[in-house]
Amino acid sequence: MESKERLNRMLQEKIISLFCLPESQVKRELEGETSNEARSDESRLKLLRHEFPHFEELVSGADVVDFGCGLGWQSLELARIGAKKVLGVDINETYLREAAEKKARVDPENLLPVEYCDIHDIGPDHKFDLVISQNAMEHYTNPQRVLEQMLSITKDDGKILITFGPPWYSPYGSHMHFFCKLPWLNILFSEKAIMSVRERYRDDGAERFEDVESGLNRMSLSKFENFCRTLGLVFSYRRYRGIKGLDSLSKIPVLRELFVNRVSVVIARGARAPGENVA
C-alpha cells in the first residue's frame, strides 16, 4: 500500500513538473518582486484604488490602520495621499524593524504621520476611522480572531476595507503559481506532491501549505463569508472578481468558489449602510 502511494505521488510530481518554470527564471522573478524600492509610489496603492470606489476620499483626513503592513511602504503612501495618521501593524518583528528603518530613511524630517507597532500592542482605547487589509486574509493563522481585532479598533462609524486573493479554490489559490502555471493545483494533486516539487524553488523546509512563508490558511470564499456572518459583520460594499472579467460567476453556487479570484469588501462598523452595494 505504501509503495502504491509512493508511486502515485511520484507520478503526480512528474505531471506537475511538466508545467513548472525553469528554476533560474523563478529565481530572477522572485528577486525582482522583493525589490520593493524599485516600485513606483503610485503602484503601491493601485489595487486599493481599483477595488474601492472613492478610496482616496475615505483615506483623506482619517486615522488609518494598515493591518498587516509588511515592510511599510503602503503605510507611507497612505500618509502621502492625505491620511491624518497611519499606524502600520504586523506580527512580524523583522518587517516592523525594516519598516521603521525605511521610514527614517525616506522621511528624515519625520513629516509623514506614520508609526509602526506589533498588532498585539494596540491598546483597547485606540480607535480608528479606517482599517485596511490588503492581500493578507488568506495568510492569517486565526482569521476569525483577526477580524475580531479589526472590529475592536474601528470606531463606531468607521469602516474596514478588506481585499484578498486568490481564494483557496480559485485557479491559483494554492499560491504556487510563482513556479507552476497549472491552475487548481491544490485540487488536482496531493499536498505532499506539490510541496515536494516546491522544494526545488524554496528551501524553507515547508511540508504543508500552512508552513510556507506567511502561511496559507486555505481561505475559501464561503469560509470568509462564514467568519463574517458569525461575527455579525455587515458588507456596505462587496465586489467579487471572476477570472477573465466573468464576475457574474460569483452568483452561481460551486462555480463561484472555483472562478472568483479576488474578494473585496467594505465592512460597516455600525448599522447597515443604506443601499448596500453588491457588485
Side-chain angles (χ1 to χ4, degrees), residues 169 221 249-260:
Y169 294 115
L221 190 58
L249 292 175
S250 68
K251 305 181 189 306
I252 304 175
V254 181
L255 292 184
R256 66 200 299 263
E257 290 284 4
L258 296 171
F259 292 101
V260 168

Side-chain angles (χ1 to χ4, degrees), residues 73-271:
W73 287 113
Q74 179 172 286
S75 303
L76 295 174
E77 293 312 311
L78 290 168
R80 286 193 175 110
I81 67 170
K84 180 181 178 182
K85 179 175 65 177
V86 180
L87 181 64
V89 300
D90 209 289
I91 58 173
N92 189 312
E93 292 183 6
T94 300
Y95 285 171
L96 290 172
R97 183 173 61 254
E98 291 186 24
E101 291 172 355
K102 289 178 180 180
K103 182 3 175 113
R105 185 171 66 252
V106 302
D107 183 28
E109 297 182 7
N110 199 29
L111 298 177
L112 295 174
V114 178
E115 296 180 358
Y116 300 102
C117 79
D118 187 283
I119 288 173
H120 303 102
D121 292 338
I122 302 177
D125 296 329
H126 288 77
K127 303 290 184 181
F128 298 84
D129 302 300
L130 196 63
V131 175
I132 298 173
S133 172
Q134 179 178 181
N135 290 336
M137 190 54 60
E138 72 271 42
H139 298 293
Y140 296 125
T141 303
N142 189 339
Q144 181 166 325
R145 174 57 184 147
V146 167
L147 286 168
E148 291 172 344
Q149 287 180 305
M150 291 180 180
L151 195 64
S152 70
I153 61 174
T154 306
K155 293 179 181 178
D156 289 343
D157 59 349
K159 291 181 172 62
I160 302 170
L161 275 58
I162 297 174
T163 182
F164 73 93
W168 181 244
Y169 294 115
S170 65
Y172 298 105
S174 66
H175 287 56
M176 299 295 154
H177 52 286
F178 71 92
F179 73 87
C180 183
K181 300 304 181 183
L182 185 66
W184 292 293
L185 201 65
N186 50 317
I187 296 177
L188 297 172
F189 302 98
S190 71
E191 182 177 44
K192 286 185 177 181
I194 296 169
M195 300 309 289
S196 178
V197 176
R198 181 184 178 276
E199 286 180 358
R200 305 172 195 169
Y201 303 89
R202 288 285 180 87
D203 185 21
D204 56 9
E207 297 182 353
R208 302 170 64 244
F209 291 112
E210 288 82 358
D211 299 334
V212 303
E213 184 180 6
S214 297
L216 284 172
N217 58 27
R218 310 179 194 232
M219 180 64 72
S220 66
L221 190 58
S222 59
K223 190 175 180 180
F224 174 70
E225 291 176 334
N226 287 337
F227 282 140
C228 292
R229 191 176 299 114
T230 297
L231 295 174
L233 301 181
V234 172
F235 297 158
S236 60
Y237 172 84
R238 183 178 73 197
R239 180 68 183 265
Y240 294 164
R241 294 195 181 275
I243 62 172
K244 306 294 185 181
L246 299 174
D247 295 358
S248 59
L249 292 175
S250 68
K251 305 181 189 306
I252 304 175
V254 181
L255 292 184
R256 66 200 299 263
E257 290 284 4
L258 296 171
F259 292 101
V260 168
N261 61 7
R262 175 154 296 278
V263 174
S264 298
V265 300
V266 176
I267 296 172
R269 175 64 175 82

